[in-house]
Amino acid sequence: LLTLARTTGGRSIVNSNDMGAILQSVLEESSHYYVLGYAPRNVHERGRFRDLKVSVSRPGVDVRAPRGYYERKPFDRQSKKERSAALYRALLSEAPSDFPVEASVGFFAGPDDRTAVFFSTGIRPGDLAAKKGRKPDLETTVVLRLGSRIRESMPVLLEQELRPEVGREFMEAASEDPTRYLVYNGRIDVPPGPYVLKVVFRDDRSDRMGSHERRLNVPGFAGSSVPSSLLLTRQAGPRDGRRDGDSDQGPLGDPLEMGDMKLMPEPVRAIRQGHVVYCAFPLYNAAAEDFEAAEQGMQLGLLRGEDWVGPGEVTAGGQPFPDPENGVIRFVGWIDTEKLSPGRYTLLAVLPNHQERTMPDLSGEFEVLPR
């Protein structure tokens, strides 16, 4: 601390427990001071250390100033460790905004009374500097931090390099298609509670960065007949063939596997007209009457603005997948947007026995874009 104060122009106070005298001294110093600014004539930054010396001719005056500073080193001259340090500084303090970063979050029951936080974050490919040539490959690194707002615990930190091989046709199509993103998906299991999620993407060719930050209230699923959050996505594929209890995700298996399908989160909910929107949520700790009511199928509602979309205006369906052994009912629904006009929609999923229970918010918005 002595060295830190000396090199940065500060003052160190040691070997004293007289807080009154210390605070009085700080108050007197901070009441009379000058701030001196400086701009170098040589503006080229190469990572050099620049010496600074400040002096005054007035007697009886103390001068405290930093001895110098390090220039910012050009990105192409930084080592891998220096680049990583700069990236994590942005994650922990700054909020870079060279380009937008999108993210969505969903909550599902995890093992050991924890909550599985599924995140999907992404950026537009056109925001990155593409390599010139036939294959304008992209290079970006993403770091993610999920930290508790109340617990004194180490935050979860993830880092991933994304190196997709893309062609010129893809880049040209992506510039006109707002549904195309370079995506990073993942899962983090944490105890319920309030958290802060922050994501930083860096273009590894230009050193430009973008970030996304949001507060999360991660729910628990220990109550009776409690649903997960509603997942909305257009990305779905066949599951890997394992049964729910065969995976390493606990007795409930992978929360995104519903029936013979596996759904994949997306950072944005925008689709082209004519594509299918999938929705899903599990009902945990389901009671016997829930299983009976689920036999009637899945009930969905669709709003465009404040107006209900009638059954004849849209093709949709849904199906429950009961799992009495684990007390779970997995609901999967779908909406064909072929008949929907472009615009923003709100999808509502209705729980079994909804007339007799307090309805949680099982809704989500998506946008239908013209063909």
Side-chain angles (χ1 to χ4, degrees):
L1 293 179
L2 292 172
T3 302
L4 177 63
R6 185 167 57 252
T7 57
T8 59
R11 177 184 176 188
S12 58
I13 300 175
V14 296
N15 300 326
S16 175
N17 290 327
D18 188 352
M19 294 303 298
I22 292 173
L23 294 176
Q24 181 63 35
S25 173
V26 172
L27 179 62
E28 291 177 357
E29 275 201 13
S30 60
S31 299
H32 305 85
Y33 64 92
Y34 290 89
V35 177
L36 182 65
Y38 149 79
R41 293 180 179 178
N42 182 356
V43 296
H44 297 292
E45 295 184 325
R46 303 184 179 91
R48 300 165 297 184
F49 183 82
R50 295 205 179 198
D51 295 300
L52 289 177
K53 184 176 180 181
V54 179
S55 60
V56 295
S57 58
R58 181 176 177 178
V61 175
D62 291 331
V63 178
R64 294 194 181 96
R67 295 184 174 184
Y69 68 96
Y70 281 97
E71 299 172 333
R72 186 175 183 272
K73 185 181 291 187
F75 185 69
D76 58 0
R77 297 184 58 186
Q78 294 178 17
S79 67
K80 188 173 182 179
K81 288 184 177 181
E82 289 172 328
R83 293 186 180 190
S84 180
L87 186 58
Y88 276 88
R89 280 198 300 271
L91 179 67
L92 298 175
S93 58
E94 305 168 8
S97 57
D98 294 329
F99 49 78
V101 175
E102 303 290 347
S104 66
V105 181
F107 308 112
F108 298 85
D112 303 324
D113 294 328
R114 290 180 166 242
T115 297
V117 179
F118 283 84
F119 63 86
S120 179
T121 180
I123 57 177
R124 296 294 307 279
D127 288 330
L128 300 179
K131 181 180 179 181
K132 296 181 180 180
R134 284 185 158 183
K135 287 188 176 181
D137 299 341
L138 305 177
E139 295 184 0
T140 181
T141 300
V142 54
V143 291
L144 179 144
R145 181 181 189 271
L146 181 65
S148 173
R149 303 205 309 263
I150 58 174
R151 293 187 181 89
E152 292 185 1
S153 59
M154 292 294 291
V156 179
L157 295 173
L158 301 176
E159 180 176 346
Q160 181 67 46
E161 291 184 351
L162 304 179
R163 303 288 189 262
E165 294 184 2
V166 297
R168 186 173 303 280
E169 293 182 1
F170 172 86
M171 293 298 295
E172 292 175 353
S175 65
E176 301 177 357
D177 187 350
T179 67
R180 297 201 183 194
Y181 273 76
L182 182 60
V183 177
Y184 173 48
N185 289 347
R187 166 182 174 166
I188 302 173
D189 293 350
V190 295
Y195 291 82
V196 174
L197 173 72
K198 186 173 182 180
V199 185
V200 175
F201 276 83
R202 180 188 64 202
D203 183 355
D204 291 340
R205 287 202 176 97
S206 68
D207 193 28
R208 298 170 67 248
M209 297 187 195
S211 62
H212 177 96
E213 185 172 355
R214 68 167 64 182
R215 290 175 173 245
L216 304 178
N217 290 313
V218 178
F221 298 99
S224 59
S225 295
V226 55
S228 73
S229 58
L230 181 68
L231 173 65
L232 277 181
T233 181
R234 60 189 173 93
Q235 298 289 344
R239 63 184 299 177
D240 58 14
R242 298 176 304 182
R243 296 191 308 175
D244 290 336
D246 296 336
S247 72
D248 58 358
Q249 311 289 353
L252 297 179
D254 187 340
L256 302 186
E257 291 183 348
M258 309 273 183
D260 59 355
M261 297 174 56
K262 182 179 177 67
L263 304 180
M264 289 160 280
E266 295 182 285
V268 294
R269 296 166 176 172
I271 67 168
R272 290 292 182 186
Q273 188 179 31
H275 289 224
V276 174
V277 179
Y278 297 94
C279 65
F281 70 91
L283 179 64
Y284 301 108
N285 313 312
E289 54 268 24
D290 294 327
F291 284 97
E292 294 176 3
E295 295 178 359
Q296 303 175 11
M298 185 178 183
Q299 300 184 56
L300 300 174
L302 188 64
L303 286 165
R304 190 176 192 275
E306 299 180 355
D307 300 324
W308 288 102
V309 178
E313 302 176 68
V314 62
T315 303
Q319 181 181 357
F321 294 90
D323 180 8
E325 182 179 351
N326 292 304
V328 178
I329 307 173
R330 292 177 171 84
F331 291 89
V332 181
W334 56 273
I335 293 178
D336 188 348
T337 63
E338 181 70 35
K339 299 179 182 179
L340 297 179
S341 58
R344 297 195 67 84
Y345 292 83
T346 302
L347 179 68
L348 304 174
V350 181
L351 287 171
N353 305 316
H354 60 275
Q355 299 90 344
E356 298 131 21
R357 70 199 316 161
T358 302
M359 285 293 294
D361 182 18
L362 281 175
S363 65
E365 293 187 347
F366 63 93
E367 184 177 5
V368 176
L369 304 175
R371 295 179 187 276

